[in-house]
Amino acid sequence: MLNYERPDEMSVPTPDYLWLNVDGTHFIDATDSCGISSEPDECGRGVCAADFDFDGDLDIYVSNYRLNPNFLWLNSGDGIFINSAEEHGIEGVPILSGGHYYYGHTIGSEFADFDNDGDFDLFCANLAHPRFIDFSDKSMLYENEGTPDFHFSDVREDAGILYQETNSDVAWSDFDNDGYLDLFITNVYVGRKSALYRNNGDGTFTEVSYPAGVRVDNGWGCAWSDFDNDGFLDLVSGSEFHLYHNRGNSNHWIEVRLEGRDVNRSAIGSYVFVYSGGMRQLRQVEGGKGTSTQNSLRLHFGLGGATVVDSHEIHWLGSERVEKYYNIPADVIYTAIESEGLFSSIEELAHLPKRLSTCVYPNPFNAGAYIGFELMEPISLSVEIYNSLGEMVRTVPERFYPSGRNRIFVSNDGLSSGTYLYVIKDGKKVFSSGKMIHLK
């Protein structure tokens, strides 16, 4: 958790913290023990993470303001983080003035593979005033040079991304489904407009804000999500937030929601390679990015004219498990459950292995329903409810059930009419599953 500056004194930084999740029950302050306090406090504005060096653990990038250097907390894998921003070329450009080194006003940053070369690049949005002061970093598009050193080089100018004075937040997405990640950048202060850049596929970008209809004034945060499930990413942005509906085109796509079993439930940090039409794409599940914003947890891949994904490769971060699927039809929203499979519909999810017989009554239901079952021995169980898109919409917390006949009540609160899948779990393993129908 990064912190900015003292509210009563500008440019006086406050410390960042690392809170360690203990068994999903509570958090402990691990700032000192993990090495985060080894650097002087700076004025943090944004944080993002990625396993940019592919060593199996998440590294953390902190965007610092007030002409401070940025941090890259390299995860050593043993609970210790080391600031390696300078070594990897992404702390900013130091300028010596008056006996001090100055960098930039970085606000939001995000990792993404914009050039489809199989590694994570980085965009840093800097508020820069070179007309007032000589030392103020402009925004930077850092290209990852890959193995063995994973060093980054700034290619913003060569890529055709124009300088704007008040860049704030950034969000990557393939909004036109051509297989290349495009770039949206907000600008703060009234009268300062955002910019949307289409990726040309050759390392350069073209600014398309006006024809795309997404000129946002005084925008802080921004994020992408396919809110209407049509396969095209929509955009939310603005200091007074606006939702921009993507009207799409004829290009194809797939979307995949990852669900961890041995790794964390939301699969944060896990990443996917998709191979289709001679192209390789890389996406990761982000817990957050930019400046206090987050894109959808569901991964989106534009496929251009391809109607089949040749290969879909999931790397579950936190384990050494890699799962591969082949010849996957396009234009489908999938759910990938770690160690259990890739599912395209509630019908497929309903065929997960069963370890006891259950019944739902009444079914269809209106006010609520009971899931009845009989146990040979006592056990602790939980229930998850999924909609027809494979999205989890309800949970019944884990509790202990004695041997004999038992039942679990599922309320109708917030449920629309439709078919749902219930999954009963014994810890992380599926105990039983089935369908239930809600009618209003």
Side-chain angles (χ1 to χ4, degrees), residues 214-246:
V214 288
R215 295 286 282 176
V216 179
D217 184 73
N218 188 25
W220 278 97
C222 56
W224 295 91
S225 176
D226 180 13
F227 81 90
D228 55 353
N229 299 316
D230 66 351
F232 291 87
L233 289 172
D234 310 293
L235 174 69
V236 61
S237 182
S239 53
E240 296 181 0
F241 278 91
H242 300 278
L243 177 62
Y244 294 90
H245 178 228
N246 189 337

Side-chain angles (χ1 to χ4, degrees), residues 57-327:
D57 44 47
L58 275 177
D59 309 295
I60 304 171
Y61 189 74
V62 177
S63 304
N64 289 316
Y65 201 70
R66 301 297 182 199
L67 303 176
N68 300 151
N70 295 327
F71 297 148
L72 173 64
W73 291 108
L74 191 67
N75 192 332
S76 62
D78 59 0
I80 302 298
F81 289 83
I82 301 170
N83 181 23
S84 303
E86 181 180 6
E87 174 186 349
H88 290 276
I90 51 178
E91 70 169 354
V93 179
I95 301 295
L96 183 63
S97 178
H100 296 279
Y101 283 102
Y102 296 91
Y103 296 82
H105 299 290
T106 309
I107 301 179
S109 303
E110 186 181 15
F111 287 101
D113 182 17
F114 82 89
D115 51 4
N116 285 353
D117 65 350
D119 53 35
F120 289 107
D121 310 298
L122 176 70
F123 190 90
C124 296
N126 282 313
L127 190 149
H129 305 297
R131 58 190 174 130
F132 297 125
I133 52 177
D134 294 332
F135 45 86
S136 184
D137 288 350
K138 299 178 182 178
S139 293
M140 297 183 180
L141 173 59
Y142 288 113
E143 182 180 11
N144 190 336
E145 298 169 1
T147 58
D149 299 322
F150 296 99
H151 188 271
F152 293 78
S153 297
D154 178 26
V155 297
R156 179 188 60 81
E157 289 190 20
D158 291 339
I161 298 173
L162 303 176
Y163 160 70
Q164 291 178 289
E165 187 173 6
T166 62
N167 283 175
S168 173
D169 201 10
V170 57
W172 292 97
S173 79
D174 183 8
F175 80 90
D176 55 358
N177 284 358
D178 67 350
Y180 292 96
L181 285 172
D182 310 299
L183 180 64
F184 183 77
I185 310 170
T186 61
N187 284 285
V188 295
Y189 302 132
V190 174
R192 303 300 177 95
K193 305 292 186 180
S194 62
L196 175 64
Y197 288 91
R198 174 179 281 127
N199 192 328
N200 299 321
D202 59 1
T204 67
F205 293 80
T206 299
E207 208 258 334
V208 294
S209 306
Y210 183 77
V214 288
R215 295 286 282 176
V216 179
D217 184 73
N218 188 25
W220 278 97
C222 56
W224 295 91
S225 176
D226 180 13
F227 81 90
D228 55 353
N229 299 316
D230 66 351
F232 291 87
L233 289 172
D234 310 293
L235 174 69
V236 61
S237 182
S239 53
E240 296 181 0
F241 278 91
H242 300 278
L243 177 62
Y244 294 90
H245 178 228
N246 189 337
R247 296 180 180 178
N249 55 31
S250 62
N251 286 339
H252 299 283
W253 53 273
I254 66 165
E255 295 181 14
V256 185
R257 183 183 67 85
L258 304 188
E259 182 177 314
R261 288 293 184 261
D262 296 325
V263 306
N264 69 85
R265 178 58 179 274
S266 297
I268 301 297
S270 297
Y271 54 92
V272 174
F273 286 103
V274 159
Y275 299 83
S276 182
M279 182 181 296
R280 172 180 58 182
Q281 299 181 56
L282 169 64
R283 305 284 188 273
Q284 69 156 337
V285 183
E286 298 174 297
K289 60 87 185 167
T291 175
S292 305
T293 55
Q294 179 175 345
N295 294 317
S296 172
L297 291 175
R298 199 163 68 196
L299 302 181
H300 170 272
F301 299 84
L303 302 178
T307 58
V308 174
V309 169
D310 301 319
S311 174
H312 181 281
E313 182 179 299
I314 305 173
H315 294 250
W316 298 96
L317 195 75
S319 74
E320 297 182 355
R321 182 175 289 113
V322 178
E323 296 174 347
K324 298 181 181 181
Y325 303 93
Y326 301 94
N327 300 319

